[in-house]
Amino acid sequence: TAIDIIGWDLQTRVDGEAFQDYSFPFTQTGGAQSGLVSLLTVVHPVRTRQDAENYLARLKLVAPRMDESVVEARRLIAKQLIPPKFILEATIKQIRTFLELPPGKNPFVATFIQRLADVPGLTAEQRVRMSAQASAITSTEIYPSWRRALALLTAEVPKATNDAGLWRFPNGVEAYNHRLKQFTTTKLTADQIHETGLRMVAEIEGKMDTLLRQLGYNQG
């Protein structure tokens, strides 16, 4: 039932509190540098004038949120909880690409301007004013916060390694098992899931081999 699902989710979150420090705020797949952009350019509606005003209000909050992520990253770095080098480098590349764009072509601004064109009841003057506001916020507030994040991550690259397993952290095995439970809802161990994967791959490859041989493929 819905109650059971909610209860399971809440308990899982409580159980995972001990491993919260293993979630770094800057990664190439779900870091603040991409999540904040997606929130405004994809999730936030811009269908009415009020939506547009709300967009600008939220845009003003982007830099503070980014700086909060920098503070959190600095706290984790002090505890030696640093992501692998390849994740740092991929994230740094994303931030640099973001900063290379002039404000007018930045997603925060360009997407907003494009969506403003479809908002009914706005005058040309209002569209110009709102576009200019978005550009100013991006250039004077958001870009500096992205540069602060870039400086922090760049300084950590020489110290990082390409070791990616949670085993390198204290209680890493427990953290990994918690994640398994969270994402699979099973009580299987990592070894059991690995063995299941090997068995299924062998089974699938066996079926593929039979079909390929029936089609006349006997090598490779």
Side-chain angles (χ1 to χ4, degrees):
T1 67
I3 293 177
D4 293 328
I5 294 173
I6 294 172
W8 178 89
D9 180 65
L10 291 174
Q11 186 60 55
T12 301
R13 292 173 186 269
V14 170
D15 294 342
E17 184 179 5
F19 313 115
Q20 287 299 305
D21 281 356
Y22 299 160
S23 296
F24 199 73
F26 296 107
T27 66
Q28 82 281 22
T29 56
Q33 82 288 343
S34 59
L36 289 169
V37 177
S38 177
L39 175 64
L40 270 295
T41 63
V42 177
V43 179
H44 193 289
V46 183
R47 303 187 187 95
T48 66
R49 177 177 176 176
Q50 188 59 58
D51 285 344
E53 297 289 359
N54 291 342
Y55 182 97
L56 292 171
R58 294 185 83 174
L59 195 64
K60 287 281 292 182
L61 299 175
V62 167
R65 297 295 82 76
M66 190 67 164
D67 285 334
E68 287 173 355
S69 294
V70 170
V71 171
E72 174 65 2
R74 190 174 288 117
R75 182 185 72 84
L76 296 176
I77 288 169
K79 298 177 68 173
Q80 301 301 310
L81 300 176
I82 306 172
K85 180 180 290 186
F86 64 87
I87 288 182
L88 289 175
E89 290 174 340
T91 306
I92 287 169
K93 183 178 179 181
Q94 287 182 347
I95 295 176
R96 284 178 174 161
T97 299
F98 180 92
L99 290 170
E100 288 170 357
L101 295 169
K105 293 186 178 180
N106 185 279
F108 280 126
V109 182
T111 303
F112 183 53
I113 293 174
Q114 182 180 13
R115 296 167 79 185
L116 276 179
D118 296 326
V119 176
L122 286 180
T123 66
E125 181 181 357
Q126 288 171 330
R127 288 190 174 91
V128 170
R129 174 183 61 80
M130 290 180 173
S131 300
Q133 282 183 268
S135 182
I137 294 169
T138 300
S139 62
T140 63
E141 300 176 33
I142 293 176
Y143 275 17
S145 68
W146 254 248
R147 293 189 187 99
R148 289 188 284 272
L150 176 62
L152 177 68
L153 298 182
T154 301
E156 295 307 310
V157 171
K159 310 172 192 176
T161 71
N162 281 320
D163 290 336
L166 284 175
W167 51 261
R168 71 193 196 281
F169 295 146
N171 300 317
V173 172
E174 291 81 359
Y176 190 87
N177 288 333
H178 168 73
R179 289 297 189 182
L180 280 180
K181 179 180 178 182
Q182 179 183 4
F183 288 109
T184 68
T185 72
T186 74
K187 295 181 180 180
L188 298 175
T189 66
D191 287 340
Q192 288 173 322
I193 290 178
H194 182 64
E195 289 300 323
T196 299
L198 293 177
R199 186 173 65 253
M200 292 180 69
V201 168
E203 179 182 342
I204 293 170
E205 287 183 342
K207 293 178 179 179
M208 290 172 60
D209 183 71
T210 299
L211 292 172
L212 289 171
R213 289 181 185 279
Q214 289 175 356
L215 296 172
Y217 297 100
N218 297 310
Q219 295 181 343

